[in-house]
Amino acid sequence: MRLFLGLAGLLIILTGGFYFLDKSNSSPVKLTDNAANKFEQKKNKVKTKNVMERNPIPFDGKVYQWIGKNADTLTQKLGKPVRKDRSAYGYVWWVYQNKHNQYIQFGVQDNRIITIYAIGENLSLDPIHIGQDYESVKKNLEISNEVTYNTGLSSYTFQLDDQELNSRPLAKLTDNIFMQCYMDTFTNKLSSIRIVTGDVLLQHRPYAMEYRGELPKKPNPSKEEWKKIESGMEQQIFDITNVMRNIHGKPSLKWNKQISQVAFKHSKDMAVNSYFSHYSESGAGLKERLTAKKVYYQAAGENIAAKYPDSPSAMNGWLNSKGHRQALLNADYTHLGVGVYHFYYTQNFLKIPQS
C-alpha cells in the first residue's frame, strides 16, 4: 500500500486595505504517516544563544558509523545538545546546531543512536556531501527503485516510484543501515540526508512496501506525550526553515508565539475534523484566523502538510513544491509561526513592520 501525503500553500498580500488571495499549486506529494503544543519565545532565545557558541560539527569517517554507538559518544565528541526532542516513535532527538549553519538530529533510544538527520553548509557525510548533484550521489550510492531489508525470517521490499527516486531516493549502506537522500529537485542537489536502521524505516514507512512477516507496532503516545512531541516538531520546523533560507541566501525568520498559536489551532482543527484545506469548515481562512488574534501584518503566507512521518520529511516536501518553496524562501517575510498537531503541520509566514 502506498500512502499519500498532502501539501498546500496559500499567499495573502495586504496593500492599502485590500486583500489579494492567490492559491498556489497544491499537487499532492506521496510519503507517510501521522502528530499538539507550543514553546515560549524566552526559551527559544536561550537556545539561539547556545547555538551561536558552538563550533563546526565534526564527523570522523562515514556518518553511518555513528549508528549503534552509545549516546555518551555524542557528548564526548560534540558536547551537550541544544535540546532533546521527543519523537512519535519512541526515540529522542538530540539536536545540534551551530553558527556555521549546520544542523543535525541524532535519534537516541535505549542510549543508542538509531537514526540521524543532517542539513547545512559544508557538511561532509562520507561518501557524499550536502550540495552534491544527483548524478554524483548516484555514483557513490547504490540507488534503485526497490530496496530490500531482511531480518530473521521476515523480508521487506521498499518500492520507490519515479518521483520518489528523484526527490528522496533510498540507498542500502549495510544489511541494517539505510540512507534517505533528500534532494532539492529545483537545483538537482542534495539538500539533506537521513540515516536509519531497518527497524526505524519500518516505523516511518515512507514508501510503498511488499513484505513477508509482520510489521512492528507503532508507539501510541499519551495526550501529554503528544504535547512534547509536537512542541519538538514545531521547533525543528522553525530551525530547519532558517537553515534552508540561509543556504539560499535569505534572512532568518523570527519566532512568533502568537502566530504559532494561530497555526497550531488550524493544524488541530484539520486533524480533529478530518479535512485538509486552508479553509476551515466554517469557511474561515488565514486572513480570518489572523484577524481573530488581532495580528497586524503587511503580507502573509501559509504552508500546510499532512501525514508526513515527522518534521524533516514535511520540510523536504515543502521545499520541492513550487508554491510552498516560494513561501519558504520569500525574502520579504520576517516572522514565522509553526503549529503541529499529531501529523498535521502548519507554517504561517508574516511580514511584520518594525515598530
Side-chain angles (χ1 to χ4, degrees), residues 146-150 154-158 170 172 174-175 178:
E146 293 191 346
V147 180
T148 300
Y149 167 51
N150 296 310
S154 300
S155 179
Y156 308 87
T157 300
F158 302 98
L170 179 68
K172 189 173 184 176
T174 71
D175 289 342
F178 301 81

Side-chain angles (χ1 to χ4, degrees), residues 73-329:
T73 307
L74 287 175
T75 53
Q76 293 170 7
K77 289 277 189 177
L78 308 181
K80 293 182 179 180
V82 174
R83 64 178 190 277
K84 295 180 181 180
D85 297 337
R86 294 282 298 273
S87 80
Y89 304 96
Y91 54 83
V92 176
W93 285 116
W94 290 31
V95 180
Y96 289 84
Q97 187 176 15
N98 60 29
K99 63 182 180 180
H100 302 276
N101 205 34
Q102 297 175 332
Y103 178 93
I104 302 180
Q105 299 179 185
F106 293 87
V108 176
Q109 189 172 43
D110 298 328
N111 207 38
R112 296 287 176 183
I113 301 169
I114 60 173
T115 183
I116 304 167
Y117 170 78
I119 185 172
E121 298 176 306
N122 302 315
L123 272 180
S124 180
L125 308 168
D126 193 22
I128 59 176
H129 61 83
I130 300 297
Q132 194 169 9
D133 66 84
Y134 187 81
E135 289 304 316
S136 296
V137 171
K138 284 178 64 177
K139 290 179 181 178
N140 288 283
L141 298 173
E142 187 175 337
I143 291 175
S144 171
N145 286 96
E146 293 191 346
V147 180
T148 300
Y149 167 51
N150 296 310
T151 175
L153 299 177
S154 300
S155 179
Y156 308 87
T157 300
F158 302 98
Q159 300 174 327
L160 286 69
D161 61 24
D162 290 341
Q163 185 271 332
E164 292 166 336
L165 198 63
N166 288 327
S167 64
R168 47 190 181 91
L170 179 68
K172 189 173 184 176
L173 304 180
T174 71
D175 289 342
N176 186 41
I177 301 177
F178 301 81
M179 177 185 286
Q180 284 181 283
C181 298
Y182 290 136
M183 304 300 302
D184 181 337
T185 56
F186 287 81
T187 63
N188 204 35
K189 293 182 178 180
L190 184 66
S191 172
S192 60
I193 62 99
R194 186 197 298 264
I195 308 291
V196 291
T197 64
D199 289 342
V200 173
L201 198 58
L202 290 177
Q203 289 282 347
H204 290 190
R205 299 172 201 173
Y207 310 100
M209 180 173 57
E210 286 187 355
Y211 64 98
R212 182 183 68 250
E214 296 183 359
L215 289 174
K217 291 183 179 180
K218 295 185 178 182
N220 185 25
S222 67
K223 183 177 180 180
E224 291 305 311
E225 288 172 333
W226 266 122
K227 289 180 180 180
K228 295 177 182 178
I229 293 166
E230 292 155 352
S231 178
M233 290 201 286
E234 290 170 349
Q235 178 72 70
Q236 292 161 25
I237 287 175
F238 175 75
D239 289 341
I240 297 171
T241 293
N242 277 332
V243 173
M244 287 181 172
R245 287 174 64 88
N246 294 161
I247 288 174
H248 289 86
K250 310 301 180 184
S252 296
L253 301 173
K254 296 178 181 179
W255 173 263
N256 186 288
K257 182 178 179 180
Q258 191 177 22
I259 304 171
S260 294
Q261 291 171 343
V262 173
F264 173 79
K265 186 175 180 180
H266 186 56
S267 289
K268 184 175 181 179
D269 190 52
M270 288 191 292
V272 171
N273 293 295
S274 300
Y275 73 92
F276 182 67
S277 172
H278 293 288
Y279 297 92
S280 67
E281 293 179 319
S282 67
L286 177 58
K287 171 187 170 182
E288 289 75 21
R289 291 193 288 275
L290 293 172
T291 300
K293 276 288 185 179
K294 296 182 173 57
V295 178
Y296 177 67
Y297 60 95
Q298 291 180 321
E302 180 174 85
N303 284 343
I304 59 176
K307 304 302 181 182
Y308 284 81
D310 59 11
S311 295
S313 56
M315 287 301 306
N316 186 64
W318 282 328
L319 182 68
N320 284 320
S321 176
K322 183 178 180 181
H324 308 90
R325 183 187 183 92
Q326 290 174 345
L328 190 65
L329 303 180

Side-chain angles (χ1 to χ4, degrees), residues 45-54 81-82 97-98:
K45 289 179 181 178
V46 173
K47 293 168 187 172
T48 302
K49 181 177 182 296
N50 290 339
V51 166
M52 298 306 290
E53 293 173 349
R54 294 193 174 278
V82 174
Q97 187 176 15
N98 60 29

